[in-house]
Amino acid sequence: MKIFLIGLMGSGKSHWAKKLSKKLKTGGYDLDFVITSHEERSIAEIFAEEGEANFRKTESKLLRWFAEKKSFVLATGGGTPCFNDNMDWMNTQGITIWLDEPVQILAQRLLPEKAHRPLIAGLPDEALQGFLREKLEERRAFYSKATYHLKEGDINDRTFAKIIKEHA
Ligand code: S3P
């Protein structure tokens, strides 16, 4: 089974990729980590040195490496679905699950680690929620193409077990 986890930063994609891949006894990956390993630089450095447009090219190229793999759970980056037809591509490969946590929760989680995330590093703390709300609206059309849309309260072991059963 190929599972792609999508959603805004801070929505728990990496956490669930680890957890689900263990449960499924399959590979668990984090696209940001694949990118930083391949580029031998942090995401912040890639953004600073090459700009977002080039980061998106690399991100899309490395995402397509997963065509070769038969089974995995991949935590994508928050912007991955919104560039280079990535969302449609992921949907042809396997199932996509949108982790749609409320913006207040995302902001709480992201505040302490803002500095490492190039899109929000320069924002004053009080602007974070507004920024995330805007991003969500910008990205909604892409995220909405997900096979499953999990909202607050649905993002738990029981829901994931049900999804896995449906695709076993
Ligand atoms: C981004 C999210 C980040 C990372 C990059 C851009 C975004 O990934 O890919 O900083 O555009 O939302 P996470 O969602 O894993 O934090």
Side-chain angles (χ1 to χ4, degrees), residues 30-149:
D30 188 315
L31 189 56
D32 283 346
F33 184 73
V34 173
I35 297 169
T36 53
S37 308
H38 181 260
E39 295 287 302
E40 297 179 340
R41 285 177 293 173
S42 70
I43 302 282
E45 282 167 340
I46 304 172
F47 264 70
E49 288 162 19
E50 294 181 14
E52 182 174 352
N54 278 312
F55 169 78
R56 296 303 174 189
K57 275 190 204 154
T58 307
E59 179 181 49
S60 302
K61 182 181 86 184
L62 297 181
L63 173 67
R64 278 160 181 76
W65 280 7
F66 287 84
E68 307 293 318
K69 297 193 187 292
K70 286 210 164 52
S71 172
F72 57 81
V73 185
L74 175 67
T76 64
T80 311
C82 315
F83 296 87
N84 305 316
D85 288 328
N86 290 342
M87 193 63 206
D88 293 333
W89 185 81
M90 290 189 279
N91 278 329
T92 62
Q93 290 286 309
I95 62 170
T96 48
I97 306 178
W98 175 14
L99 308 186
D100 186 13
E101 289 279 19
V103 161
Q104 298 95 297
I105 292 188
L106 301 182
Q108 258 174 33
R109 289 181 186 164
L110 291 169
L111 265 181
E113 37 171 290
K114 232 175 72 202
H116 312 289
R117 298 176 180 261
L119 288 185
I120 57 174
L123 287 179
D125 288 1
E126 60 280 9
L128 184 55
Q129 272 204 34
F131 174 85
L132 291 170
R133 241 176 259 291
E134 259 175 43
K135 273 282 162 237
L136 179 60
E137 288 325 310
E138 240 177 77
R139 293 175 171 181
R140 188 178 292 282
F142 298 96
Y143 290 170
S144 298
K145 291 185 179 178
T147 324
Y148 294 94
H149 177 183

Side-chain angles (χ1 to χ4, degrees), residues 17-18 20 86 121:
K18 259 190 215 142
L20 290 179
N86 290 342

